[in-house]
Amino acid sequence: MRRFLLIPHIKIHNANAMSSPYTIGFPAMTAWLGAVHALQRHAQQQGFSDVNFLKVGVSCHAFDLQVYKGRGDFISSIIGTSNPLDKDGNRPAFIEEARCHLTVSLLIEYDGVRKVKLNDFIALINQSLPRFKMASGDILSVKPIEELYLNEDEPSELRKITNKLMLGHVLIERRDLMIKSMNSGKKDALDALLDHLKLMHRVKQDNDGNVTWTTQRLEKGWLVPIAVGFQGISDLAIAQNQRDSTTPHRFAESVLTLGEFVMPYRIHDIDQMLWQYHVDQSQNLYLCQTNTQTA
């Protein structure tokens, strides 16, 4: 029997939409797993030392990217706030700050909480959540937490959980499309990523001179680039003027892959939408991934 906490309809204001150094959109998976990890540490400090949050699923119900597109504009512009003002009260140089307002539900698999303490544990999370930030955004409201159970031998129980995530889209990992594209030809990871994101417009003219335009992508589905972690690009060492003089420092770069937003009723294996941490020290990789993907 697997146990889950459902934190439904978290309304977040001004979340960080700069999901990686290259992309603007839905917040990175490191932001969601980081927020859940902070929640776990808080619970442990409040006396629930045995609690362990194992995996996280994210269902997006609403997403409002803070951009502006004027009449006749080809691209959208970021709505900046220019905060804070400088010492003279003037606006500082423009710093790109992509923001979004969104509503999400988090499905957290956990263990370690005894049943006699479960009500106190849920009450603590309900009370603490409004003080937390998620994806650098402020939590405006959240519905009461629900406890869910899953017996994997009963398919109907999975349907009960996915119904709780409606109406929304859950984010799953589609690294398999990247691997397939890279193995099928001489393409690097960036080309494979862009091939699945670009729109291909084609025109066809029949014998009577009628023109038909079609638009399609390489694969069907709502595919998006998503930041899933970091790769170290230097050895562990002590850097000059680092903040913590006792902890080794390492330069790192963001790791991107393909994700796909799907309706929850299309999920047939709950691990397909549950993300967890994965560390590969041989490749200096720190990733968020689903365990349905190959390494």
Side-chain angles (χ1 to χ4, degrees), residues 11-290:
K11 191 174 183 180
I12 304 173
H13 180 75
N14 276 346
N16 180 18
M18 185 72 73
S19 56
S20 79
Y22 330 105
T23 58
I24 292 175
F26 193 75
M29 284 309 305
T30 48
W32 302 115
L33 266 71
V36 171
H37 182 65
L39 197 60
Q40 172 187 296
R41 294 184 61 181
H42 175 72
Q44 291 174 343
Q45 292 170 358
Q46 298 300 315
F48 296 92
S49 58
D50 53 347
V51 68
N52 186 21
F53 291 160
L54 305 174
K55 303 176 184 178
V56 182
V58 183
S59 177
C60 181
H61 305 288
F63 181 83
D64 181 16
L65 186 63
Q66 297 300 286
V67 294
Y68 171 78
K69 188 174 183 179
R71 181 179 298 178
D73 291 349
F74 181 71
I75 59 174
S76 300
S77 303
I78 294 174
I79 300 176
T81 57
S82 298
N83 294 327
L85 300 179
D86 61 22
K87 61 181 180 180
D88 298 322
N90 299 318
R91 290 184 179 273
F94 178 75
I95 300 175
E96 196 172 67
E97 296 178 350
R99 299 171 296 112
C100 62
H101 309 325
L102 71 166
T103 302
V104 300
S105 291
L106 297 182
L107 182 68
I108 306 171
E109 184 176 4
Y110 76 100
D111 65 10
V113 180
R114 290 181 296 172
K115 198 168 186 63
V116 293
K117 290 187 175 182
L118 186 58
N119 290 335
D120 293 337
F121 174 65
I122 293 178
L124 171 67
I125 301 300
N126 277 321
Q127 182 182 11
S128 304
L129 262 177
R131 303 199 303 266
F132 275 74
K133 280 182 173 287
M134 285 194 177
S136 298
D138 299 312
I139 297 178
L140 299 182
S141 63
V142 57
K143 293 185 178 180
I145 293 175
E146 300 180 41
E147 185 190 14
L148 304 174
Y149 296 93
L150 174 65
N151 182 352
E152 294 182 290
D153 295 330
E154 294 290 339
S156 60
E157 293 192 4
L158 174 61
R159 186 62 57 211
K160 291 179 182 178
I161 292 178
T162 55
N163 286 345
K164 296 280 188 179
L165 301 176
M166 297 287 284
L167 292 168
H169 292 80
V170 294
L171 183 62
I172 65 174
E173 188 178 5
R174 294 309 307 270
R175 190 183 352 148
D176 57 311
L177 295 178
M178 298 270 293
I179 296 173
K180 179 181 177 181
S181 182
M182 293 170 66
N183 291 339
S184 62
K186 296 181 179 179
K187 294 182 179 180
D188 61 14
L190 182 58
D191 287 332
L193 183 73
L194 294 176
D195 279 350
H196 287 88
L197 299 177
K198 65 184 179 183
L199 293 174
M200 293 172 285
H201 304 282
R202 293 188 173 92
V203 62
K204 184 177 180 181
Q205 186 174 14
D206 59 21
N207 295 332
D208 297 329
N210 298 319
V211 174
T212 303
W213 282 91
T214 59
T215 301
Q216 65 182 39
R217 301 176 77 168
L218 190 61
E219 295 280 346
K220 293 182 179 180
W222 187 358
L223 298 175
V224 295
I226 187 73
V228 293
F230 303 92
Q231 181 174 34
I233 57 175
S234 69
D235 295 330
L236 284 172
I238 299 297
Q240 186 176 6
N241 298 325
Q242 68 181 52
R243 293 182 180 180
D244 186 348
S245 60
T246 60
T247 303
H249 178 274
R250 166 175 280 160
F251 289 98
E253 62 183 4
S254 184
V255 175
L256 273 72
T257 190
L258 279 174
E260 182 180 1
F261 283 107
V262 300
M263 294 293 283
Y265 70 84
R266 295 185 179 274
I267 299 296
H268 303 293
D269 178 2
I270 196 167
D271 286 313
Q272 187 181 3
M273 65 177 180
L274 294 179
W275 298 74
Q276 60 185 337
Y277 287 118
H278 171 75
V279 178
D280 185 348
Q281 295 186 358
S282 64
Q283 300 292 329
N284 294 334
L285 285 171
Y286 176 82
L287 300 175
C288 306
Q289 66 179 34
T290 59

